[in-house]
């Protein structure tokens, strides 16, 4: 600590980074470090400092990413359900408002399967058009958000979101 004070010129040392030769020695160092600091500074409470190991930080990061992935999947599933209900209601209103048109089709000789195919085709086309517009808007907003974040936080300058086509295909089904 004295050497750190002399080298940095700082009165308070907030962090010390130590490196072991390998994972086993780093874990052993981690276990001993807390005991050594408590022995050298008996007036300090062991809760005044924390000892982290790189593996623990990576594990915590992976848990956080997994939680985030689950959250995003839940939001996407909820959005799909809500949009499906919305499209169903729009098509129901469309069929009800066009009963006269359907009657004319049937009078000319259209079968129930023809009317069903027409309305299913119309709903699929509506979904695809809405999906393409939604993806385009999402890509644009994500790109703009990344530019804004990169300007606000200098440590991540040049950062860009990652778009994987497999996710777009998965969302389409």
């Amino acid at each position: 600590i004295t050497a750190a004070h002399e080298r940095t010129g700082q009165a308070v040392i907030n962090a010390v980074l130590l490196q072991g030769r390998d994972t086993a020695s780093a874990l052993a160092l981690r276990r001993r470090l807390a005991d050594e600091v408590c022995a050298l500074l008996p007036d300090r409470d062991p809760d005044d400092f924390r000892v982290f190991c790189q593996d623990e930080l990576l594990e915590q990061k992976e848990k956080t990413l997994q939680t985030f992935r689950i959250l995003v999947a839940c939001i996407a599933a909820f959005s799909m359900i809500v949009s499906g209900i919305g499209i169903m209601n729009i098509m129901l209103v469309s069929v009800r408002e066009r009963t006269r048109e359907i009657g004319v089709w049937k009078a000319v000789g259209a079968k129930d399967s023809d009317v069903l195919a027409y309305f299913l085709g119309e709903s699929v086309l509506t979904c695809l058009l809405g999906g393409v517009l939604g993806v385009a808007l999402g890509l644009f907003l994500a790109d703009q958000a990344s530019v804004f974040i990169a300007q606000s936080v200098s440590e991540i300058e040049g950062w860009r979101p990652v778009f994987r086509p497999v996710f777009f295909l998965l969302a389409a089904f």
Side-chain angles (χ1 to χ4, degrees):
I1 291 177
T2 305
H5 283 296
E6 290 173 3
R7 289 183 183 193
T8 62
Q10 301 290 325
V12 176
I13 304 299
N14 292 327
V16 177
L17 178 65
L18 302 174
Q19 182 176 353
R21 290 186 187 98
D22 54 20
T23 303
S25 63
L27 291 174
L29 178 64
R30 180 190 181 277
R31 285 189 292 271
R32 285 186 34 218
L33 191 60
D35 296 334
E36 293 287 333
V37 171
C38 287
L40 290 172
L41 304 169
D43 59 327
R44 294 287 183 181
D45 186 22
D47 294 331
D48 288 347
F49 61 92
R50 294 174 62 162
V51 180
F52 292 106
C53 190
Q54 188 78 18
D55 293 339
E56 291 172 340
L57 294 176
L58 289 174
E59 183 180 315
Q60 182 63 35
K61 177 187 170 202
E62 192 59 37
K63 286 180 183 177
T64 303
L65 285 174
Q66 184 64 25
T67 303
F68 185 70
R69 286 183 192 118
I70 291 170
L71 177 68
V72 167
C74 289
I75 291 171
F78 184 73
S79 297
M80 297 294 262
I81 290 170
V82 169
S83 63
I85 292 171
I87 290 170
M88 179 186 67
N89 286 333
I90 289 170
M91 294 312 297
L92 180 64
V93 168
S94 177
V95 169
R96 285 193 185 236
E97 288 181 354
R98 294 163 74 183
T99 53
R100 286 187 181 175
E101 185 180 335
I102 294 170
V104 171
W105 290 350
K106 290 191 150 252
V108 174
K111 294 181 255 169
D112 287 342
S113 61
D114 296 331
V115 174
L116 178 65
Y118 174 79
F119 280 103
L120 283 177
E122 187 178 304
S123 66
V124 167
L125 188 62
T126 303
C127 290
L128 288 175
L129 183 62
V132 168
L133 290 174
V135 166
L137 181 65
L139 291 172
F140 174 74
L141 291 177
D143 190 54
Q144 293 303 310
S146 69
V147 169
F148 175 74
I149 291 170
Q151 289 173 350
S152 301
V153 183
S154 61
E155 289 85 16
I156 58 171
E157 188 174 335
W159 176 81
R160 290 278 184 232
V162 176
F163 302 111
R164 295 189 180 146
V166 70
F167 293 131
F168 298 123
L169 292 174
L170 182 66
F173 294 107

